[in-house]
Amino acid sequence: WQLHTGVTGRLILGNAMFDLEATAGQTTAFSATSDGFSLTTIQSLDSLFTRGFTPSIQHLIQPAGKGWGSDAGIALTKGERFVITAAVTDLGSMEWSGTTYDTEEVTFSPDLFGASDLAVESADWLDDAVNLLTADAWFSGGKDTVMLQTLVPTYALGGAFRPWAPFVLAGNVTGTNMEAFGDDGVNWGLTVGLQVLKSLYLESGIQQNRNEQRSVPVALRLVTKRGWEMGLRMGDVSALWQESQTAVSGQWCFMRWHVGVL
């Protein structure tokens, strides 16, 4: 048996955050948005190419929230036949610079739409829709606030069994707290992998997200000896035989390279 451990860290930048709480007749809201990702800034991107990059580029990419995240995990293996894993992901926090509003500052006016009957003018629908999603459309006043948001970690347990080289059976369960593993608050999945050809792998399984409908993902990967990979993945193919599931999604990887570290 061998024990493997791993820890990753990342810098997180946030574009926008909105939080609303209502208790005992009191309403408190917090809004933080980045001017760098506003519609006005996006529409003026052409100036960066006509006038070149200026100090205003710092304003363009300035985020509304900054934070850090970390994942940690262990894997217990016995050759290539058995794998048992445990992990904690999304440890960390975010710090948002925004504005806090209370009940006295909640406002809404039909004039926001440019018409008394709440109709949006067809010529200005995009601008009006964007304005509706800003804090100024709903609140007045407010005070500058820095809010600390703690990320919700996810706990995961998994395992895999390879009875013979081209075939592997794997499963996992995840939950946002340890109590969730004792009730219906967990996500789980079962996966079967098959090496069809020397460098071609086919994978499929069942994914259950709490009490929601189950999905059936399918993936096809081409792997070379030097670490290069490419593949195609369908997020859910159950729409092919279930009338209640009307969407089929797809993702693909043009090329990636894995580096093995001993």
Side-chain angles (χ1 to χ4, degrees):
W1 289 93
Q2 292 183 333
L3 181 64
H4 308 266
T5 61
V7 178
T8 63
R10 56 186 177 273
L11 172 67
I12 305 176
L13 304 178
N15 179 35
M17 192 271 186
F18 182 76
D19 181 71
L20 182 65
E21 294 183 4
T23 56
Q26 296 293 322
T27 302
T28 303
F30 174 83
S31 174
T33 57
S34 170
D35 292 336
F37 291 91
S38 66
L39 179 63
T40 303
T41 304
I42 295 176
Q43 290 175 330
S44 61
L45 278 177
D46 58 340
S47 64
L48 295 177
F49 300 97
T50 57
R51 294 182 303 202
F53 289 97
T54 66
S56 62
I57 188 64
Q58 298 178 359
H59 172 75
L60 176 64
I61 62 176
Q62 183 177 4
K66 300 177 182 178
W68 64 275
S70 179
D71 306 327
I74 61 173
L76 185 64
T77 65
K78 186 175 183 180
E80 297 184 354
R81 183 173 292 269
F82 294 100
V83 178
I84 302 173
T85 64
V88 181
T89 60
D90 293 333
L91 294 167
S93 63
M94 289 284 292
E95 189 176 84
W96 297 92
S97 298
T99 307
T100 299
Y101 308 89
D102 57 29
T103 307
E104 303 299 329
E105 296 161 335
V106 178
T107 61
F108 178 73
S109 173
D111 295 336
L112 174 68
F113 296 94
S116 59
D117 58 355
L118 298 182
V120 178
E121 295 290 341
S122 58
D124 303 321
W125 72 269
L126 181 57
D127 291 337
D128 288 337
V130 171
N131 291 336
L132 183 63
L133 298 178
T134 62
D136 294 337
W138 300 89
F139 305 98
S140 62
K143 59 180 179 180
D144 295 339
T145 307
V146 176
M147 189 184 79
L148 182 64
Q149 179 189 28
T150 302
L151 302 183
V152 179
T154 299
Y155 302 89
L157 299 173
F161 172 59
R162 188 186 299 274
W164 56 295
F167 179 81
V168 62
L169 177 65
N172 74 293
V173 291
T174 62
T176 54
N177 55 70
M178 297 306 295
E179 289 76 14
F181 288 92
D183 51 35
D184 295 331
V186 298
N187 303 331
W188 60 267
L190 294 174
T191 302
V192 176
L194 180 63
Q195 184 178 359
V196 182
L197 300 174
K198 186 175 182 180
S199 300
L200 188 64
Y201 296 82
L202 176 64
E203 298 160 349
S204 184
I206 301 175
Q207 182 69 42
Q208 173 74 47
N209 297 322
R210 293 197 177 108
N211 295 323
E212 299 178 4
Q213 187 173 6
R214 297 177 185 177
S215 60
V216 181
V218 175
L220 190 66
R221 294 187 298 123
L222 180 64
V223 183
T224 65
K225 291 183 178 180
R226 296 185 177 181
W228 294 101
E229 292 188 8
M230 63 176 58
L232 173 67
R233 179 182 184 274
M234 305 299 293
D236 186 12
V237 297
S238 63
L240 299 177
W241 63 82
Q242 290 186 3
E243 296 182 357
S244 60
Q245 182 64 281
T246 59
V248 177
S249 64
Q251 306 87 37
W252 59 90
C253 174
F254 175 71
M255 186 70 70
R256 67 180 177 184
W257 184 42
H258 280 183
V259 179
V261 179
L262 299 179

